[in-house]
């Protein structure tokens, strides 16, 4: 049995704008995740740049940060045994056209940039990302 973990999930602007946040949260809950904390916020471009700093050398960095700050997002702490990997699995591949049937990105993603959800990629990064949005 894997360890109880927490991971950071973000419902991105394209999904919030289409009112998909409840449906996406339901998918997490139905897959055994506990939503420990959640808030709907809009971040600034400079906050998005900090959050996605790991991608700062990538050609898509500026567009990505403009996009994440373009409208409301829902940020959540999800908890479950093996939550980091389990979330990556239920999210699906970065490019929705490559995501498996039944995943969130396959279901709701529009394109590689408007792919509806973010999820931490390791336990270590999950801690950093959770602390970024939920400092107290
Ligand atoms: N992204 C993009 N173009 C690319 C690759 C990534 O716009 O060619 C965006 C996409 O929204 C993705 C985010 O940058 O979710 C972060 O990229 P990463 O490779 O970390 O993918 P993820 O971990 O979100 O699957
Ligand atoms: Mg990533």
């Amino acid at each position: 049995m894997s360890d109880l973990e927490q991971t950071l999930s973000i419902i991105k602007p394209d999904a919030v704008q289409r009112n998909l946040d409840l449906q996406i949260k339901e998918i997490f809950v139905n897959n055994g995740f506990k939503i420990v904390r959640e808030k709907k916020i809009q971040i600034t471009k400079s906050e998005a740049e900090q959050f996605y700093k790991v991608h700062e050398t990538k050609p898509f960095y500026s567009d990505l940060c403009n996009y994440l700050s373009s409208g409301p997002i829902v940020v959540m702490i999800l908890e479950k045994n093996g939550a980091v990997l389990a979330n990556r699995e239920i999210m699906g591949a970065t490019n929705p056209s490559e995501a498996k049937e039944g995943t969130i990105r396959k279901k709701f993603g529009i394109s590689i940039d408007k792919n509806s959800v973010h999820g931490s990629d390791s336990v270590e990064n999950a801690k950093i990302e959770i602390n970024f949005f939920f400092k107290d």
Side-chain angles (χ1 to χ4, degrees):
M1 194 67 157
S2 42
D3 292 338
L4 189 64
E5 291 173 359
Q6 292 190 339
T7 191
L8 185 88
S9 171
I10 303 178
I11 305 176
K12 292 183 176 182
D14 66 276
V16 175
Q17 191 178 24
R18 286 176 289 152
N19 288 311
L20 295 171
D21 39 326
L22 282 179
Q23 277 182 74
I24 291 174
K25 282 195 264 178
E26 199 169 69
I27 292 172
F28 288 127
V29 171
N30 289 342
N31 280 276
F33 290 90
K34 180 176 171 192
I35 301 172
V36 175
R37 296 190 58 183
E38 64 169 290
K39 58 184 178 185
K40 189 190 260 188
I41 54 172
Q42 182 161 358
I43 60 172
T44 63
K45 181 166 187 191
S46 126
E47 287 168 328
E49 285 168 346
Q50 268 178 272
F51 179 73
Y52 273 131
K53 193 149 182 61
V54 50
H55 291 306
E56 77 183 323
T57 61
K58 309 272 173 65
F60 57 82
Y61 179 62
S62 179
D63 286 345
L64 175 61
C65 297
N66 279 327
Y67 167 63
L68 195 70
S69 58
S70 67
I73 58 176
V74 176
V75 293
M76 295 173 286
I77 301 176
L78 301 181
E79 187 176 88
K80 171 183 167 140
N81 286 324
V84 172
L85 194 60
N87 181 38
R88 296 295 303 192
E89 279 172 4
I90 195 72
M91 285 164 62
T94 306
N95 189 342
S97 69
E98 290 164 14
K100 284 189 199 141
E101 220 44 66
T103 62
I104 294 171
R105 283 168 165 173
K106 174 74 177 183
K107 247 182 149 157
F108 300 125
I110 297 169
S111 58
I112 191 162
D113 46 326
K114 296 186 168 70
N115 59 6
S116 302
V117 280
H118 166 85
S120 310
D121 61 7
S122 65
V123 173
E124 190 192 353
N125 284 335
K127 287 184 181 142
I128 295 168
E129 292 182 358
I130 286 170
N131 191 50
F132 184 87
F133 284 109
F134 299 97
K135 287 194 173 59
D136 48 331

